[in-house]
Amino acid sequence: MRWMPMLLLLMPCSVLADSLEVPRQLLERFDPKALPALQQVAKAEPTNVEALRLLGIAQLREGQFEEAVDNLERAVELEPRNAALYHLLGQAYGSNINNVGMLSKLGYAGKIRGAFEKATELDPAFIDARDGLMQFYLMAPGMAGGSVEKARVQAAAIAELSEVRGHMARARLLGNDEKPDEAVAAFRDAVQADPQYAPAWLSLGVALHETDKVDEALDLFEAMQRELPDAGQGWYQFGRIALLSDRRLDQAEFAMRHYLTLPPADGQPPTKYAHLRLGQILSKLGKADAARAEIQQALALDAEFEDAKKALASL
């Protein structure tokens, strides 16, 4: 009997550890059951910072931006020295700004900047936080705290920390300066600096497409498929650009079907978009029944998917 108090003291720790095991696995698999599972844990354990963090990620994925902000604000209150939490909160604020009234947007922009600034203050080597702050300075109007000069300061700090990320930051500055060809060259430097860094390939391919270098963009994403076969963007973006330009549609069908076999990942287009794009590709190839089936699959994933509704109606 004398061991009972010690066992009772140990139980909450083991329960706390075990309570997130299954929800975390569901979240890693992009399983929709992750959200309710994490909500249950966060409700039962309101001071569990990791549960709040994971719940915020799940809510951001589902477009529940206001709810994500609420939970991530609670997380940083509980753990105010965690740079990664402030970075995630900054992303949540940025995602939620369109839900804020016009009169409140300027103040809300300050929250975005403040979260990224706090993350970089807590961890000066945190490149993603510096990148978020740089992009804020480039996108926000001056009255909301935007500043090209401050963006340049962040870009220089990023370049000190990482060659590839430095090239990426320089490319964004050049794009902001309306120098698209120089921005493309900087993105090429990023790919050469680290051919395993998928965002560099993605940014270069998108920049090529936006500067009307369609065939170069398609060649680039085809090369990305060979270099990084597990990176979904190489397959998805090839299919998307081929569809928009009416080129290499047979290859586009293969690419989009392959994309649908890859596991979901953050930063990649949701599955519903791949089914829609595949349906549109099949329609252009004259495969009406197969096209209809893919678009219906997109609607099965999201019954309110307006683009899919319009595509289905046009068949």
Side-chain angles (χ1 to χ4, degrees):
M1 290 294 293
R2 64 178 181 272
W3 296 107
M4 187 61 70
M6 181 60 72
L7 289 173
L8 290 174
L9 285 171
L10 291 172
M11 278 180 63
C13 295
S14 61
V15 170
L16 190 67
D18 293 340
S19 64
L20 284 174
E21 182 177 352
V22 172
R24 184 182 283 107
Q25 291 174 359
L26 293 171
L27 188 68
E28 290 172 354
R29 296 198 301 267
F30 283 69
D31 191 313
K33 293 191 290 292
L35 180 57
L38 287 164
Q39 288 171 325
Q40 184 176 357
V41 176
K43 183 177 180 180
E45 303 170 19
T47 60
N48 186 335
V49 173
E50 179 65 0
L52 292 170
R53 184 185 75 85
L54 296 176
L55 178 56
I57 292 171
Q59 289 169 327
L60 287 172
R61 287 179 181 174
E62 295 296 323
Q64 297 180 10
F65 303 134
E66 293 180 73
E67 294 85 348
V69 164
D70 289 342
N71 285 303
L72 292 169
E73 284 181 336
R74 287 167 56 202
V76 298
E77 287 174 5
L78 291 165
E79 204 166 298
R81 305 296 298 172
N82 189 320
L85 284 178
Y86 276 102
H87 174 247
L88 189 57
L89 178 59
Q91 292 178 309
Y93 282 142
S95 298
N96 192 48
I97 195 166
N98 289 330
N99 294 325
V100 176
M102 287 301 298
L103 295 177
S104 302
K105 283 191 188 298
L106 288 180
Y108 206 78
K111 289 188 174 186
I112 300 172
R113 184 185 69 248
F116 288 137
E117 285 178 339
K118 187 65 175 179
T120 58
E121 174 192 324
L122 291 169
D123 184 358
F126 193 171
I127 295 177
D128 286 343
R130 288 193 177 277
D131 187 68
L133 189 54
M134 183 192 76
Q135 293 192 56
F136 170 83
Y137 285 139
L138 288 177
M139 296 173 65
M143 66 179 65
S147 167
V148 175
E149 289 311 309
K150 288 183 178 180
R152 295 188 193 285
V153 170
Q154 292 304 318
I158 291 169
E160 289 290 323
L161 294 166
S162 165
E163 181 183 2
V164 61
R165 298 293 294 272
H167 290 309
M168 297 280 285
R170 178 165 57 89
R172 293 195 181 97
L173 288 173
L174 289 164
N176 185 74
D177 291 340
E178 298 185 358
K179 297 177 180 179
D181 291 335
E182 292 180 46
V184 165
F187 283 131
R188 287 192 195 280
D189 290 340
V191 172
Q192 292 173 2
D194 186 357
Q196 296 302 302
Y197 187 59
W201 290 85
L202 172 62
S203 298
L204 174 57
V206 170
L208 287 167
H209 185 225
E210 289 176 347
T211 52
D212 296 323
K213 299 178 177 69
V214 177
D215 285 318
E216 285 187 57
L218 289 171
D219 290 344
L220 184 282
F221 283 120
E222 197 170 12
M224 183 180 178
Q225 293 166 14
R226 295 190 296 270
E227 186 73 25
L228 301 173
D230 295 330
Q233 291 284 13
W235 303 94
Y236 181 89
Q237 295 299 334
F238 182 96
R240 182 185 73 87
I241 293 172
L243 168 65
L244 295 175
S245 60
D246 271 330
R247 306 183 196 193
R248 310 189 203 181
L249 290 176
D250 287 328
Q251 285 180 264
E253 177 187 353
F254 176 83
M256 205 60 79
R257 288 191 185 280
H258 185 78
Y259 178 78
L260 286 166
T261 69
L262 298 174
D266 284 316
Q268 294 187 174
T271 302
K272 66 179 183 180
Y273 285 101
H275 283 294
L276 170 61
R277 297 298 191 191
L278 178 55
Q280 293 170 320
I281 291 166
L282 291 167
S283 177
K284 288 194 172 188
L285 289 170
K287 303 176 183 180
D289 290 342
R292 186 172 291 104
E294 290 298 331
I295 297 170
Q296 286 172 337
Q297 182 60 38
L299 285 168
L301 293 169
D302 180 359
E304 303 303 317
F305 192 7
E306 289 298 327
D307 288 348
K309 289 180 181 178
K310 292 176 183 177
L312 191 60
S314 70
L315 287 178

